[in-house]
């Protein structure tokens, strides 16, 4: 009997283990994380909940605003109505754009397609409840309360598929809105529909386009839409004028109301293929990706794609940690977006149509954010796509003369500062990512570091050896960030044996010193005569112009010398003075006057809600007090991320906020993202496995992981005692095992030896 019981228990255990192994990683993804602030203390994330494929072109999602602006994703979890479902969105940005080809189902008499939808009783928006709303990778669903319609969404790379279930015995309609866009009355740039068209091809097909300006200066969006039921009649609107049963409408404010026989068949499907090139290519995209009407099959297909991408990392931790981690990975893999059509055509930055033979051309490069951690994450988890990203950026160099600053829809919008395609490309080249030509890469980064272009006056950089504020606003931030970019150029020059260039750019990489004011202890602005600008208040915030600091203050930008932290320590006066300044940074709570809107997630002056602060907690590692790095990293991980709609302490910024969590939860972070060096922090996961593109696995295990046990007691790397506060790229890529033992109290001896911090020369060798 005991034998049978033991066998039964064994079979039960095996069955349970097998069942546990089959839990899909997509089940941990919560697309509602980061979609709406709970209170005024968070920017939430600015994410959208609708379906998209990994790095795909179409992002089909509900819009809760008629003129989306804030949040930039178009969806606010705190809103109570939906205006429709548009096919393109930005994930986690601070600026809005896209929202192309909005569709909305309705019943009865549509109150006013052309009216003011913000007025009660007008427009076609509908109330909804989160109780009747759900989302997962590849799928979104909501009940539209005003019409009692259940709307379901899914997507392939270039095609959005919607399924509407109408209530019985009702007349069904679908509105197509080509005027829906970001607010056209914005003050800092203009959004305008230049031209648009809706054409009725036959009783099941609608095609059209719109050409518009916005954050991207010129976008062309072509669409091909097919319906599963015949269109009974149409009303095409130009402005407020409706035209019944006409076949074409052109203008700058056009919409269509399509009528269907939903009394006899309540289910209606519509699929919309997009192209940035032509209607013909939109047709081709649909033919290549979605010739049929299998909604549930597309949901599964897209979900499977996400499962494959998420499986590049496996973790063990609490359910909340898994939800935050895998949702973060999902957000990180939402962009950059492949702008190439199924045949490889894409619109280049010079607005000509070119063809990518491999059918890969990426855009949506939020580089000021993503160069810091998201792109280093891609080099580990997406090496093939990293090469595609780099080659896509270098195509802008070919057609435009220099690399992207912030590229959207293939168009350079010059948002933010610095030239941060440079560290991304240099990092990939130094790490030996296959598919990149190092010589061509160097040609591009060198040109982008010498040719004057908006925000980068290199002739003044060479002349003054800093950026004067009376020549270029945001001068301190630009000086610090360009110095870092120059260091990156120097490293690739060194690797390629270009000695004179290496020396030249290394000299420029130290120009930050020329704005250090030893009296105040901060980097300060000078004019072209070399005079300090006064008055000076290190707490005063700047935005995106009119101030020496970009989306921050002097406190937050003081720490931005990642290429030479030992020198930063030296100019302050040594490790004691440096750590005392760090201590003050994390405890000083004064916030005088107006704080920049991107500053949030405060710990003292540390603002995790924006990128300039992201590396600072790890700087204690360089100054002999790694236990303080562990304390603050754990504090950020545990307090400034959660699994609610307000899951991020700031804009998610195209994966950067998530990448910080992903790296830090495993226990390490790239302070200098192009160095191949990762500083150790405070892991919170019991186990993490990084499945590398070379077939090897780097595993991290953590004993005693908890919110209380934030301090490293000891570390082993591949079974050997490890006292260094850093890992190298080669440590990761050759595979192995990193073991942490954590505790409630600091181990003041660990990581404080002379060889515990990386030697400066290691920063020029990513291997």
């Amino acid at each position: 009997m005991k034998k049978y019981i033991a066998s039964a228990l064994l079979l039960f255990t095996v069955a349970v283990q097998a069942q546990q192994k089959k839990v899909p990683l997509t089940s941990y993804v919560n697309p509602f994380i980061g979609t709406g602030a709970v209170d005024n203390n968070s920017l939430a994330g600015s994410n959208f909940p609708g379906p998209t494929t990994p790095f795909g072109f179409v992002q089909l999602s509900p819009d809760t605003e008629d003129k989306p602006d804030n949040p930039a994703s178009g969806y606010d979890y705190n809103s109570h109505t939906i205006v429709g479902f548009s096919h393109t969105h930005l994930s986690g940005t601070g600026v809005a754009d896209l929202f192309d080809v909005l569709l909305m189902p309705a019943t009865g008499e549509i109150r006013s397609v052309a009216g003011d939808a913000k007025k009660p009783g007008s427009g076609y928006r509908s109330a909804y409840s989160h109780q009747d709303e759900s989302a997962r990778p590849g799928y979104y669903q909501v009940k539209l309360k005003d019409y009692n319609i259940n709307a379901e969404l899914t997507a392939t790379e270039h095609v959005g598929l919607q399924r509407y279930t109408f209530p019985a015995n009702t007349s069904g309609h679908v509105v197509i809105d080509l005027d829906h866009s970001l607010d056209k009355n914005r003050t800092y740039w203009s959004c305008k529909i230049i031209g648009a068209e809706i054409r009725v091809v036959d009783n099941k097909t609608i095609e059209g386009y719109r050409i518009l300006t916005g954050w991207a200066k010129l976008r062309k969006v072509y669409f091909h839409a097919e319906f599963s039921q015949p269109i009974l009649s149409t009303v095409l609107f130009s402005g407020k004028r409706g035209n019944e049963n006409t076949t074409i409408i052109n203008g700058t404010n056009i919409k269509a109301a399509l009528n269907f026989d939903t009394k006899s068949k309540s289910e209606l499907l519509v699929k919309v293929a997009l192209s940035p090139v032509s209607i013909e290519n939109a047709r081709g995209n649909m033919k290549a990706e979605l010739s049929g009407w299998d909604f549930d099959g597309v949901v599964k297909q897209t979900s499977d794609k996400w499962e494959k991408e998420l499986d590049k990392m496996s973790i063990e931790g609490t359910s909340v940690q898994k939800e935050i981690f895998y949702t973060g990975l999902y957000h990180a893999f939402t962009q950059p977006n492949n702008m190439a059509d199924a045949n490889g055509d894409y619109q280049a930055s010079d607005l000509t149509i070119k063809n990518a033979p491999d059918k890969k051309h990426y855009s949506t490069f939020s580089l000021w954010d993503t160069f810091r951690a998201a792109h280093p994450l891609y080099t580990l988890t997406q090496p093939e796509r990293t090469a595609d990203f780099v080659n896509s950026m270098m195509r802008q160099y070919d057609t435009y003369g220099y690399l992207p600053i912030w590229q959207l829809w293939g168009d350079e919008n010059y948002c933010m500062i610095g030239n941060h395609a440079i560290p991304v490309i240099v990092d990939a080249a130094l790490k030996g990512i296959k598919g990149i030509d190092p010589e061509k890469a160097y040609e591009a980064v060198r040109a982008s570091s010498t040719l004057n272009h908006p925000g980068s006056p290199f002739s003044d950089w060479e002349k003054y050896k800093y950026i004067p504020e009376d020549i270029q606003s945001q001068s301190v931030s630009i000086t610090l960030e360009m110095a870092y970019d120059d260091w990156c150029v120097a490293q690739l020059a060194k690797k390629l044996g270009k000695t004179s260039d290496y020396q030249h750019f290394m000299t420029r990489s130290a120009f930050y010193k020329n704005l250090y004011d030893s009296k105040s202890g901060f980097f300060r602005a000078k004019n072209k005569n070399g005079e300090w600008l006064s008055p000076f208040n290190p707490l005063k915030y700047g935005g995106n112009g009119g101030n020496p600091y970009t989306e921050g203050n002097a406190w937050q930008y003081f720490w931005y010398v990642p290429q030479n932290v030992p020198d930063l320590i030296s100019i302050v006066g040594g490790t004691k003075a440096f750590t005392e300044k760090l201590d003050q940074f994390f405890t000083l709570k004064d916030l005088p006057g107006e704080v920049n809107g991107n500053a949030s997630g405060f710990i003292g002056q540390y603002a995790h809600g924006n990128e300039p602060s992201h590396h600072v907690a790890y700087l204690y590692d360089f100054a002999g007090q790694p236990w303080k790095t562990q304390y603050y990293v754990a504090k950020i991980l545990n307090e400034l991320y959660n699994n609610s709609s307000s899951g991020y302490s700031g804009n998610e910024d195209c994966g950067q906020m998530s990448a910080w969590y992903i790296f830090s939860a495993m226990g390490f972070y790239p302070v200098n993202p192009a160095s191949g060096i990762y500083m150790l922090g405070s892991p919170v996961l019991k186990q993490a496995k990084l499945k590398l593109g070379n077939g090897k696995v780097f595993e991290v295990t953590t004993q005693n992981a908890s919110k209380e046990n934030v301090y490293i007691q000891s570390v082993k790397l591949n079974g050997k005692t490890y006292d260094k506060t850093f890992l190298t790229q080669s440590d990761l890529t050759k595979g192995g095992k990193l073991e942490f033992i954590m505790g409630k109290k600091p181990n003041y001896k660990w990581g404080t030896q002379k060889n515990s911090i990386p030697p400066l020369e290691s920063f020029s060798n990513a291997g």
Side-chain angles (χ1 to χ4, degrees):
M1 185 68 179
K2 290 181 179 180
K3 180 179 179 181
Y4 292 122
I5 293 174
S7 298
L9 287 172
L10 178 61
L11 288 172
F12 176 79
T13 301
V14 171
V16 169
Q17 290 175 343
Q19 187 175 10
Q20 288 175 340
K21 289 180 181 179
K22 291 180 181 179
V23 174
L25 300 179
T26 52
S27 67
Y28 297 115
V29 175
N30 178 2
F32 292 110
I33 292 178
T35 58
V38 171
D39 52 41
N40 293 326
N41 295 322
S42 172
L43 290 179
S46 194
N47 297 105
F48 62 84
T52 185
T53 61
F55 306 98
F57 180 61
V58 163
Q59 306 89 31
L60 179 56
S61 192
D63 291 339
T64 57
E65 310 299 323
D66 296 290
K67 301 173 182 179
D69 185 2
N70 185 20
S73 65
Y75 177 92
D76 188 344
Y77 193 83
N78 299 301
S79 181
H80 303 293
T81 59
I82 287 173
V83 69
F85 308 102
S86 62
H87 285 73
T88 58
H89 293 83
L90 290 168
S91 177
T93 57
V95 176
D97 207 347
L98 307 185
F99 314 112
D100 298 302
V101 192
L102 180 137
L103 272 63
M104 182 64 168
T107 59
E109 182 179 351
I110 299 177
R111 292 184 289 272
S112 175
V113 169
D116 184 354
K118 287 191 173 181
K119 295 180 180 178
S122 174
Y124 45 85
R125 67 167 60 247
S126 172
Y128 77 106
S129 168
H130 294 307
Q131 294 179 342
D132 296 316
E133 183 187 35
S134 62
R136 61 182 187 269
Y139 179 78
Y140 172 86
Q141 170 273 329
V142 68
K143 176 66 72 69
L144 300 173
K145 294 172 70 173
D146 285 17
Y147 307 118
N148 196 26
I149 295 172
N150 189 53
E152 299 171 277
L153 317 179
T154 189
T156 66
E157 189 169 7
H158 293 88
V159 185
L161 178 61
Q162 303 185 48
R163 180 167 64 187
Y164 308 138
T165 304
F166 291 84
N169 300 314
T170 57
S171 298
H173 319 284
V174 175
V175 174
I176 301 177
D177 187 343
L178 294 193
D179 186 53
H180 180 69
S181 72
L182 69 145
D183 190 346
K184 298 180 181 67
N185 297 314
R186 298 176 72 100
T187 56
Y188 46 96
W189 59 72
S190 173
C191 175
K192 180 180 179 181
I193 309 294
I194 298 171
E197 177 182 285
I198 297 175
R199 182 187 297 264
V200 181
V201 178
D202 56 43
N203 70 348
K204 286 190 175 182
T205 309
I206 303 288
E207 293 181 338
Y209 66 85
R210 72 172 182 172
I211 302 170
L212 68 164
T213 65
W215 192 15
K217 298 180 193 67
L218 182 66
R219 292 196 307 113
K220 298 179 180 180
V221 186
Y222 300 90
F223 75 93
H224 171 83
E226 296 181 10
F227 295 84
S228 62
Q229 289 190 38
I231 303 166
L232 298 181
S233 62
T234 65
V235 183
L236 304 187
F237 289 85
S238 179
K240 294 184 178 182
R241 182 179 178 85
N243 302 274
E244 293 187 14
N245 295 319
T246 187
T247 59
I248 190 168
I249 196 79
N250 289 277
T252 58
N253 178 4
I254 64 173
K255 303 178 180 72
L258 313 177
N259 303 310
F260 297 88
D261 178 16
T262 55
K263 290 183 179 180
S264 58
K265 187 175 183 180
S266 62
E267 185 176 280
L268 173 67
L269 286 86
V270 54
K271 51 186 178 180
V272 179
L274 298 188
S275 166
V277 173
S278 67
I279 290 176
E280 181 181 4
N281 275 17
R283 294 186 203 120
N285 289 341
M286 184 173 289
K287 183 178 180 181
E289 295 179 9
L290 189 54
S291 58
W293 293 98
D294 185 1
F295 184 92
D296 295 328
V298 174
V299 171
K300 184 180 186 305
Q301 170 187 304
T302 302
S303 178
D304 289 346
K305 288 182 178 180
W306 277 112
E307 186 71 19
K308 179 180 177 182
E309 297 301 324
L310 298 175
D311 191 48
K312 292 180 177 180
M313 303 183 79
S314 63
I315 66 167
E316 290 298 327
T318 68
S319 60
V320 171
Q321 288 171 342
K322 287 183 177 181
E323 196 171 345
I324 296 171
F325 188 95
Y326 283 113
T327 302
L329 206 56
Y330 172 80
H331 285 149
F333 292 171
T334 298
Q335 67 291 294
N337 307 110
N338 184 15
M339 295 288 295
D341 286 326
N343 66 358
D345 287 350
Y346 67 93
Q347 179 180 288
S349 54
D350 62 356
L351 304 181
T352 61
I353 304 303
K354 298 187 181 300
N355 185 271
D358 61 357
K359 301 177 175 55
K360 302 289 178 60
H361 180 76
Y362 288 88
S363 190
T364 318
F365 289 116
S366 182
L367 291 163
W368 185 79
D369 309 293
T370 56
F371 87 94
R372 304 167 195 264
H375 279 282
L377 179 66
Y378 299 146
T379 64
L380 293 170
T381 60
Q382 302 283 348
E384 297 84 3
R385 281 196 175 95
T386 293
D388 295 333
F389 299 160
V390 168
N391 290 326
S392 297
M393 286 189 278
M394 289 201 292
R395 287 178 187 138
Q396 176 171 313
Y397 164 68
D398 291 335
T399 57
Y400 208 69
Y402 43 87
L403 294 165
I405 308 300
W406 211 121
Q407 192 198 81
L408 175 62
W409 208 267
D411 181 43
E412 180 57 67
N413 63 33
Y414 297 111
C415 188
M416 305 311 297
I417 62 170
N419 295 272
H420 298 319
I422 291 172
V424 172
I425 292 173
V426 168
D427 181 44
L430 291 178
K431 288 175 179 174
I433 298 293
K434 294 180 180 179
I436 297 172
D437 180 348
E439 289 288 349
K440 178 65 183 293
Y442 182 73
E443 176 189 325
V445 299
R446 190 185 190 285
S448 299
S449 301
T450 54
L451 297 172
N452 287 331
H453 54 275
S456 297
F458 286 110
S459 57
D460 296 316
W461 183 237
E462 296 274 9
K463 178 179 179 180
Y464 296 102
K465 297 178 173 52
Y466 62 91
I467 298 297
E469 180 68 17
D470 52 346
I471 289 178
Q472 180 73 50
S473 183
Q474 306 176 72
S475 60
V476 175
S477 295
I478 292 174
T479 293
L480 292 166
E481 295 196 18
M482 281 175 42
Y484 174 69
D485 292 337
D486 282 346
W487 178 89
C488 294
V489 179
Q491 306 319 303
L492 189 52
K494 181 179 180 181
K495 181 178 179 68
L496 298 176
K498 303 178 188 297
T499 304
S500 60
D501 274 7
Y502 167 75
Q503 293 171 344
H504 177 73
F505 285 106
M506 281 300 288
T507 298
R508 284 187 8 176
S509 76
F511 282 179
Y512 63 87
K513 296 180 182 181
N514 298 325
L515 290 186
Y516 181 70
D517 173 25
S518 58
K519 186 175 181 180
S520 68
F522 288 95
F523 294 106
R524 287 182 56 187
K526 288 181 180 178
N527 61 24
K528 61 186 176 184
N529 296 323
E531 300 163 337
W532 297 114
L533 267 59
S534 295
F536 170 69
N537 180 352
L539 293 168
K540 183 175 174 59
Y541 273 80
N544 300 97
N547 186 284
Y549 305 96
T550 301
E551 297 186 3
N553 62 18
W555 267 109
Q556 288 150 11
Y557 257 97
F558 172 77
W559 315 99
Y560 198 73
V561 189
Q563 71 273 27
N564 199 338
V565 178
D567 187 59
L568 183 62
I569 294 173
S570 177
I571 64 175
V572 173
T575 56
K576 184 176 185 296
F578 185 77
T579 53
E580 287 175 352
K581 196 175 186 77
L582 273 171
D583 292 343
Q584 188 178 6
F585 175 69
F586 280 104
T587 55
L588 181 62
K589 296 182 179 180
D590 293 345
L591 298 174
E594 184 177 350
V595 175
N596 178 261
N598 286 290
S600 58
F602 283 101
I603 304 174
Q605 289 302 299
Y606 179 92
H608 192 68
N610 211 15
E611 279 67 25
S613 290
H614 274 194
H615 67 293
V616 183
Y618 287 89
L619 296 184
Y620 283 109
D621 275 351
F622 292 87
Q625 295 186 358
W627 60 90
K628 290 182 180 177
T629 282
Q630 296 152 31
Y631 172 81
Y632 284 114
V633 168
K635 186 176 181 68
I636 298 164
L637 285 165
N638 291 320
E639 296 180 10
L640 297 181
Y641 291 84
N642 63 65
N643 63 339
S644 76
S645 66
S646 184
Y648 298 103
S649 58
N651 292 321
E652 210 276 331
D653 287 321
C654 292
Q656 170 58 27
M657 197 73 70
S658 291
W660 191 97
Y661 184 93
I662 290 163
F663 271 122
S664 297
M666 292 191 294
F668 50 92
Y669 183 82
V671 167
N672 176 344
S675 68
I677 299 293
Y678 304 85
M679 304 307 295
L680 298 189
S682 180
V684 296
L685 302 172
K686 291 182 179 179
Q687 184 185 59
K689 290 183 179 180
L690 180 58
K691 301 174 185 180
L692 302 164
N694 59 8
K696 297 183 179 179
V697 175
F698 186 80
E699 181 182 1
V700 181
T701 62
T702 307
Q703 291 186 36
N704 308 324
S706 72
K707 289 184 178 180
E708 295 76 27
N709 295 330
V710 303
Y711 297 106
I712 293 175
Q713 304 301 299
S714 63
V715 180
K716 287 184 178 180
L717 179 61
N718 298 325
K720 297 181 180 179
T721 299
Y722 194 77
D723 289 321
K724 296 178 181 179
T725 58
F726 66 96
L727 297 170
T728 67
Q729 179 72 9
S730 61
D731 289 332
L732 297 180
T733 56
K734 66 187 178 185
K737 187 174 184 179
L738 183 68
E739 301 171 81
F740 291 96
I741 296 179
M742 308 298 290
K744 292 182 179 180
K745 295 182 179 180
N747 178 354
Y748 296 111
K749 294 183 179 180
W750 182 87
T752 59
Q753 305 302 314
K754 193 172 183 179
N755 66 344
S756 292
I757 65 170
L760 187 59
E761 58 268 21
S762 71
F763 284 86
S764 62
N765 184 355

